[in-house]
Amino acid sequence: MIIVLKQSAGENGLNRVVEHIEKEGLSTHISQGTEVTIVGVVGDKSRLDIDRLKASPFVERVIAVTESYKLANHKFHPEPTSFKVKNTSIGPDNLTVMAGPCAVESLEQMLTIARAVKKSGATILRGGAYKPRTSPYSFQGLEEDGLKYLKAASDETGLATICEVTSAHAIESAVKYVDMLQVGARNMQNFELLKEIGKSSLPVLLKRGMSATIDEWLNAAEYIMSEGNTNIALCERGIRTFETSTRNTLDLSAVLVLKEKTHLPVIVDPSHATGVRNYVTPLSKAAVACGADGLMIEVHNDPEHALSDGPQSLTFDQFDEAMEALAPYAKLSGRG
Ligand code: PEP
Ligand code: MN
């Protein structure tokens, strides 16, 4: 449920309404926009006398929120969310570009890639240290050593860093070294992991599960938010369909649906969505054109010998060209 306050309510009116709700054991989330102040209510609404609330001199309207996700809901928070990641931010004012290898492979590799992607304009350095591979015999990641290499690359270049975490233990290590946590597609509905991430204070990139509906995805975000961590960006990375020409099918309409349903920023990952390097730049343009707040692009110093996802990784030159080609799209979208 959300309560829209009258413009005349002021601080006093807001406090009175909040007091009334919290007295009944429900929690409130306040969104103070330039035009209106909204009080979002989470909890057992049967404890509230809605008619009395509607009659309050401070209340303009009371609206039921039928969706099961509340904190992630656009109705709860009409302004788009923006949050800081180290020295950059994710939100409506800029185009975030997360770039780097699928997996951290060595210190030298991370330093080389960090320097190159920074030069081309990336804002966040990515690299997996815990790799959830389809086969248990594939490279599983360097774990804590990988995190240390990410940190060294960040210390040298100033780039913010992101790394996927796959367990509570990985979260404990990652928070010491990186600036943002990633939940991978395979763990989107690992609710215990989501709750643990919700207790950390680092911003989160929540990837869409490969067969998840948008509502399931937003409920996964709600799991994290309900533990107190509200700095979440959603990442569309392709879904499973009958089509086999690409690794997954990029659901670009999800960007538009999400912009209606949630205030959280949206990132598009054309690398994992297609698995094909030649499709990355055109789909990046399309993603920016339809309102994405950022991109995640895999870049490797030697894609042919990458320990994972080589075929979808761009070379340094290709990434540089991609960033140049994207600049006018970013400008047209008001992010240039
Ligand atoms: C990744 O970002 O390296 C990754 C494994 O992505 P996804 O979870 O989208 O498959
Ligand atoms: Mn990958």
Side-chain angles (χ1 to χ4, degrees), residues 101-103 126-128 130-133 164 182-187 205 207-208 210 235 237-238 247-248 269 272-273 296 298 308-309 312:
C102 183
R126 66 148 284 148
Y130 302 88
K131 295 306 303 174
R133 305 302 297 282
E164 177 171 355
Q182 176 174 321
V183 179
R186 290 152 194 81
N187 276 312
L205 183 74
K207 286 197 152 194
R208 182 181 188 175
M210 34 191 123
C235 179
R237 46 76 70 205
R247 184 172 170 181
N248 295 289
D269 172 352
H272 291 91
M296 173 170 266
E298 283 190 340
S308 71
D309 287 348
Q312 68 199 31

Side-chain angles (χ1 to χ4, degrees), residues 128-181:
Y130 302 88
K131 295 306 303 174
R133 305 302 297 282
T134 302
S135 160
Y137 308 117
S138 303
F139 176 59
Q140 302 286 306
L142 297 179
E143 304 190 346
E144 190 148 351
D145 280 343
L147 296 170
K148 288 180 184 164
Y149 302 158
L150 271 166
K151 168 113 179 39
S154 168
D155 287 345
E156 192 200 289
T157 57
L159 282 173
T161 54
I162 180 167
C163 184
E164 177 171 355
V165 284
T166 49
S167 65
H169 170 71
I171 298 172
E172 224 176 276
S173 301
V175 294
K176 292 189 271 179
Y177 301 102
V178 298
D179 305 301
M180 186 166 188
L181 304 175

Side-chain angles (χ1 to χ4, degrees), residues 208-287:
R208 182 181 188 175
M210 34 191 123
S211 302
T213 65
I214 290 173
D215 271 29
E216 286 166 342
W217 190 10
L218 288 170
N219 274 293
E222 190 80 9
Y223 262 92
I224 301 172
M225 297 177 91
S226 64
E227 295 291 333
N229 188 346
T230 53
N231 292 336
I232 301 172
L234 300 161
C235 179
E236 163 61 40
R237 46 76 70 205
I239 48 175
R240 280 244 162 115
T241 67
F242 54 81
E243 182 53 64
T244 54
S245 352
T246 46
R247 184 172 170 181
N248 295 289
T249 298
L250 179 60
D251 181 12
L252 269 187
S253 57
V255 178
L256 304 165
V257 177
L258 287 170
K259 290 286 167 193
E260 268 179 24
K261 292 186 172 235
T262 183
H263 52 91
L264 298 173
V266 181
I267 305 291
V268 170
D269 172 352
S271 306
H272 291 91
T274 62
V276 182
R277 114 170 24 95
N278 285 348
Y279 303 159
V280 169
T281 303
L283 289 173
S284 296
K285 292 178 185 170

